[in-house]
Structure formats: structure tokens, C-alpha cells
């Protein structure tokens, strides 16, 4: 395969993964003008699609219908129409959408990624939450810079990645992302934000510009300033993250995680704040933190956890097992007296599965320690050894039975 074909393969994958930039889409359109073999392009796109980890229902049937019934597609030359006509699997709606975009490229009139998303969510093209969801579902660790450019970190070579505002961004051989400041004197009104998102089945690690180390669990997002302001260090977390905060008495570090705020000077702690959980938990490993929500606050000591239930106005402090909380960072699932519903929620975030329940499921608590690099089948087989639950695996769907 020559260099042009390699580049085409990369750009097609970026298109299917929805990580393609406007500049790359321009390049893809230019490349496609030189390819007469639509059969070859279809084969390449099918190969990229089949290797994608993305869910098949990211683009719904309504959006698909809008794309394929568009007048421009209906007037396409017959040779170009085969790219859609040959695709008969209704489940692969994202594949259809990618094919439609390719047809536009052939015609010289193509849809940019934000225009496709506009069809799905109306005129709101600045929906940051939806964009983060797409990044998490892309199957890749994605860093979004302050200008909107996206870097696919697990497909990027080691070394310097570039710069953003006041910082140089680099990637180490073990995948860690590091921010080095060019200018330490940054005013609060000059803050520029980056966002890093991890998909299901992956974790990521970065060092912020102040030296704070952050580990992100699967399906998690962190929004942070490229360089912190003069008075405080604020970040926003969705999902789960572990922080080793660089000490700075004059500049507190504040994490916003759903309805809870955690303020520290320098310490080690974990926060779990997934949207599908009923609680937000801040667990202190070392140092001290203050967790607050409205008028409720708790000053934690090591091995204490602040818990805020959804809909509650009060934060409660309790003791916790550090091994259980830190299992994800250390490469394990550790379950202790947890119902199967909570266990399957954690498993689904790692293995990208849809969980269904059949019949009356026992509320019996489960326990055990399992390696996260085990296959899904191996993990579920181990849980079946308890004799109280069974599983049926059908593709990405797992049915839990009594």
C-alpha cells in the first residue's frame, strides 16, 4: 500500500470515528477526486467500519433517512450511488451516514461533521455535553484544544503534540499527556480550556500545568485550563478520576463533579461522579479535602469518603476501603457486598455492553476481585460460579438471568 492509500485509510477511519477535523475532511475530499475505483473505496470503508468500536446506533434512523433522501444524494451518478445501494444492513446506520458523506465528497459538495450533528440536535451546535458523549463513544482517547481541534491521543505518536495558548503539550512513551508552561503569569481573564475524554474500556493519565497528576477512568471527561489563573485552580469532572494535587497554599485546587465541589491545597483523592450513578463520592487517600454542596460541607480525613445522594441536600462522611475505591486505577474490579445491578453498571463501562435483566433477579450481594484485562466471558463465568446468577452474551448485549 502506497503512502496515499495509507493516508486515505487514516482519514476514512477518522471520518467513521467522528474525530475528523475540517482540514482533514478537505484533504479527504481532495484525495477522493483522484480515486476512480469506488469499489476499492467501499472495501476500505467497510474494513474501517468493521474495526470500529463505536456503537451501531449513534446515528438514529431519522437522521439516516434525512441523509439518504437528500436531493443531492438522489441525483448522484449511478456509480457513486452504489456506495449506499450495496449497504443493506439496517443496523449499521453509522456506516450509512459515513457512506453518505463520502458521496458528498465525490460530488464536491460534502457535509462537515458539525452539519451532520446539527441535523441530530437542531440548531444547537455548541452542545458541549453531546460533543463529550461523542468523544467517549469514539473508542479513542480524545483531547480537545481551546480552538476546537481534536487530537486522537491513542493514535498519536509520542513526543511533542503541539502548543495551546501558554502551554506545550507532549506525550510520553507510556501514553501520559504532559502540559509544560511557557508563561507562568496568566490572568484569570485569559484562561483557555482543554477537555480530555476517555471511552469505554480505556483509562488515561495526564499532568496538568501546575504539576497535578490525574488518572481518568473509562467513560470519563475532564475539563481544565491550559494554564491556571493567579488565584485558584478549577477543573470539572464527569465520570471518575484520581487526583494527586501539587501543593500550593496560595492557590486552592477545586474540582466540580456534578453537584459536589471538592477543595484542596495538595492531596491525593478519588472522585466518582457518573451520570448514571445515584451518588457522587469523594474518597480521600492522603491529606485533607473539603467537600461541599450548598450549605452542607464535610472536612475529610484520610480513609474518609464524602457521599452526596442524588436529590439530597446533605453530604455524609463515612469510612471506606481504599483498595475497593482504587481498583480501577490498579487494573482490577473489586466488588464487596454489591448487588448485581451495580456490578453490571461498572462492567458495562469497561466492556461497552448493553445490559438487560430477565425475570426476578436476586438482590443478594456479590464479592470478588477480578483482573480488568480478562475477557468479558471469563469475568461473567467467574460471577456465575456463585450459583445465583447466569448470563447470556449476544454480541454487545448481555442478559442477566436468575
Amino acid at each position: 500500500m502506497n503512502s496515499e492509500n495509507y493516508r486515505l485509510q487514516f482519514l476514512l477511519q477518522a471520518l467513521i470515528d467522528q474525530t475528523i477535523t475540517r482540514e482533514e475532511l478537505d484533504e479527504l475530499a481532495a484525495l477522493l477526486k483522484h480515486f476512480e475505483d469506488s469499489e476499492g473505496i467501499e472495501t476500505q470503508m467497510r474494513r474501517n467500519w468493521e474495526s470500529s468500536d463505536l456503537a451501531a446506533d449513534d446515528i438514529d434512523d431519522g437522521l439516516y433517512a434525512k441523509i439518504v433522501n437528500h436531493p443531492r444524494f438522489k441525483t448522484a451518478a449511478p456509480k457513486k450511488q452504489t456506495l449506499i445501494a450495496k449497504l443493506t444492513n439496517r443496523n449499521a446506520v453509522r456506516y450509512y451516514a459515513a457512506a453518505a458523506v463520502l458521496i458528498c465528497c465525490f460530488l464536491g459538495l460534502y457535509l462537515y461533521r458539525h452539519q451532520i450533528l446539527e441535523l441530530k440536535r437542531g440548531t444547537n451546535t455548541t452542545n458541549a455535553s453531546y460533543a463529550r458523549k461523542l468523544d467517549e463513544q469514539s473508542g479513542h482517547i480524545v483531547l480537545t484544544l481551546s480552538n476546537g481541534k481534536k487530537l486522537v491521543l491513542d493514535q498519536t505518536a509520542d513526543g511533542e503534540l503541539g502548543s495551546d495558548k501558554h502551554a506545550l503539550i507532549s506525550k510520553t512513551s507510556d501514553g501520559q499527556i504532559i502540559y509544560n508552561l511557557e508563561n507562568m503569569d496568566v490572568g484569570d481573564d485569559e484562561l483557555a480550556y482543554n477537555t480530555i475524554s476517555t471511552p469505554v474500556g480505556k483509562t488515561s493519565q495526564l499532568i496538568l500545568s501546575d504539576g497535578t497528576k490525574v488518572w481518568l477512568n473509562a467513560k470519563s471527561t475532564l475539563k481544565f485550563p491550559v494554564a491556571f489563573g493567579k488565584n485558584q485552580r478549577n477543573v470539572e469532572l464527569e465520570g471518575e478520576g484520581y487526583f494527586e494535587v501539587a501543593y500550593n497554599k496560595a492557590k486552592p485546587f477545586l474540582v466540580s463533579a456534578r453537584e459536589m465541589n471538592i477543595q484542596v491545597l495538595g492531596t491525593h483523592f478519588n472522585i466518582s461522579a457518573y451520570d448514571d450513578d445515584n451518588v457522587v463520592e469523594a474518597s480521600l487517600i492522603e491529606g485533607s479535602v473539603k467537600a461541599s454542596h450548598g450549605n452542607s460541607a464535610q472536612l475529610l480525613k484520610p480513609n474518609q469518603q464524602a457521599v452526596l445522594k442524588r436529590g439530597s441536600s446533605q453530604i455524609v462522611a463515612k469510612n471506606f476501603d481504599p483498595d475497593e475505591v482504587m481498583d480501577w486505577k490498579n487494573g482490577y474490579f473489586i466488588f464487596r457486598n454489591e448487588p448485581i445491578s451495580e456490578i453490571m453498571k461498572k462492567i458495562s463501562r469497561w466492556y461497552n455492553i448493553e445490559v438487560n435483566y430477565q425475570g426476578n433477579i436476586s438482590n443478594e450481594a456479590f464479592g470478588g476481585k477480578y483482573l480488568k484485562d480478562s475477557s468479558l466471558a471469563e469475568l461473567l463465568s467467574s460471577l456465575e460460579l456463585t450459583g445465583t446468577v447466569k448470563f447470556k452474551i449476544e454480541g454487545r448485549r448481555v442478559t442477566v438471568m436468575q
Side-chain angles (χ1 to χ4, degrees):
M1 184 183 292
N2 59 37
S3 60
E4 194 172 56
N5 285 335
Y6 274 120
R7 187 60 180 169
L8 176 64
Q9 179 179 353
F10 172 82
L11 293 173
L12 288 177
Q13 187 66 55
L15 176 68
I16 289 174
D17 289 342
Q18 299 189 57
T19 59
I20 195 167
T21 65
R22 177 168 181 161
E23 292 76 13
E24 288 172 336
L25 197 52
D26 287 335
E27 181 184 353
L28 177 58
L31 272 176
L32 289 172
K33 291 180 181 179
H34 301 296
F35 281 82
E36 294 297 327
D37 182 13
S38 62
E39 295 278 344
I41 293 175
E42 180 190 346
T43 299
Q44 183 63 66
M45 190 173 69
R46 185 181 297 278
R47 185 181 299 118
N48 285 34
W49 162 259
E50 290 173 348
S51 68
S52 175
D53 293 330
L54 293 176
D57 58 354
D58 282 349
I59 294 179
D60 60 26
D61 287 346
L63 175 58
Y64 161 69
K66 289 182 180 181
I67 292 175
V68 297
N69 292 322
H70 193 284
R72 289 293 297 190
F73 304 149
K74 289 183 177 180
T75 59
K79 183 173 76 170
K80 312 305 190 289
Q81 287 178 326
T82 60
L83 284 171
I84 279 187
K86 291 185 178 182
L87 304 176
T88 57
N89 181 359
R90 287 291 301 175
N91 291 327
V93 290
R94 295 193 65 260
Y95 187 98
Y96 282 112
V101 174
L102 287 182
I103 288 176
C104 290
C105 293
F106 273 124
L107 297 174
L109 176 66
Y110 48 86
L111 297 176
Y112 289 110
R113 175 172 173 267
H114 73 272
Q115 290 174 306
I116 293 177
L117 297 183
E118 189 175 52
L119 287 172
K120 184 169 179 101
R121 61 177 188 266
T123 58
N124 182 7
T125 58
T126 60
N127 191 325
S129 178
Y130 189 85
R132 287 194 294 271
K133 181 181 178 182
L134 286 179
D135 287 342
E136 291 172 1
Q137 292 178 341
S138 73
H140 298 293
I141 302 170
V142 178
L143 177 67
T144 304
L145 304 182
S146 62
N147 61 4
K149 181 179 179 181
K150 294 180 180 292
L151 302 178
V152 183
L153 298 178
D154 45 359
Q155 291 187 341
T156 304
D158 302 340
E160 187 173 307
L161 303 181
S163 62
D164 192 356
K165 303 299 181 181
H166 307 280
L168 293 172
I169 309 170
S170 60
K171 177 183 174 182
T172 64
S173 59
D174 60 355
Q176 186 179 70
I177 305 303
I178 300 177
Y179 280 70
N180 290 314
L181 282 183
E182 297 172 312
N183 180 5
M184 293 295 291
D185 187 16
V186 180
D188 290 330
D189 57 346
E190 302 175 19
L191 297 183
Y193 287 86
N194 283 188
T195 302
I196 185 169
S197 298
T198 56
V200 292
K202 293 185 179 180
T203 60
S204 62
Q205 182 182 355
L206 68 156
I207 299 179
L208 303 180
S209 59
D210 67 334
T212 292
K213 296 180 180 180
V214 184
W215 288 258
L216 287 182
N217 202 354
K219 288 191 69 175
S220 300
T221 298
L222 184 73
K223 180 181 178 181
F224 56 94
V226 174
F228 291 102
K230 295 179 179 180
N231 299 317
Q232 57 186 4
R233 300 170 287 171
N234 293 359
V235 301
E236 299 175 17
L237 173 70
E238 294 183 10
E240 185 167 18
Y242 174 73
F243 295 79
E244 293 184 356
V245 178
Y247 182 79
N248 188 335
K249 185 176 181 179
K251 191 184 295 186
F253 193 96
L254 180 68
V255 182
S256 298
R258 276 175 42 189
E259 297 86 4
M260 186 186 289
N261 294 315
I262 300 90
Q263 182 175 329
V264 303
L265 299 178
T267 187
H268 300 178
F269 61 98
N270 189 83
I271 304 175
S272 180
Y274 285 104
D275 283 339
D276 58 349
D277 279 343
N278 290 324
V279 297
V280 179
E281 296 174 334
S283 308
L284 183 63
I285 305 297
E286 178 182 309
S288 66
V289 303
K290 179 182 179 181
S292 62
H293 169 67
N295 294 324
S296 178
Q298 292 284 349
L299 185 63
L300 302 182
K301 298 177 181 179
N303 295 339
Q304 281 190 323
Q305 183 181 74
V307 180
L308 176 63
K309 293 184 177 180
R310 192 184 298 275
S312 173
S313 60
Q314 296 295 316
I315 293 179
V316 177
K318 67 176 186 178
N319 295 328
F320 73 97
D321 184 340
D323 289 338
E324 183 178 348
V325 168
M326 299 304 300
D327 60 349
W328 68 268
K329 180 176 175 290
N330 298 324
Y332 292 96
F333 291 110
I334 297 180
F335 308 125
R336 290 192 178 145
N337 299 320
E338 295 183 56
I340 192 64
S341 58
E342 289 300 313
I343 289 175
M344 294 307 298
K345 192 183 297 182
K346 294 178 180 179
I347 291 175
S348 69
R349 293 170 187 155
W350 187 251
Y351 292 101
N352 191 21
I353 57 172
E354 173 190 333
V355 180
N356 295 317
Y357 295 89
Q358 181 177 310
N360 296 321
I361 306 301
S362 171
N363 289 324
E364 182 177 344
F366 287 77
K369 182 176 181 179
Y370 308 92
L371 283 169
K372 294 180 76 172
D373 59 4
S374 300
S375 70
L376 174 63
E378 289 173 333
L379 175 56
L380 296 183
S381 294
S382 297
L383 290 174
E384 284 185 339
L385 293 176
T386 61
T388 58
V389 67
K390 292 185 179 298
F391 304 94
K392 181 170 67 174
I393 304 175
E394 299 172 298
R396 289 183 51 250
R397 179 178 299 170
V398 173
T399 302
V400 184
M401 301 172 290
Q402 186 69 39

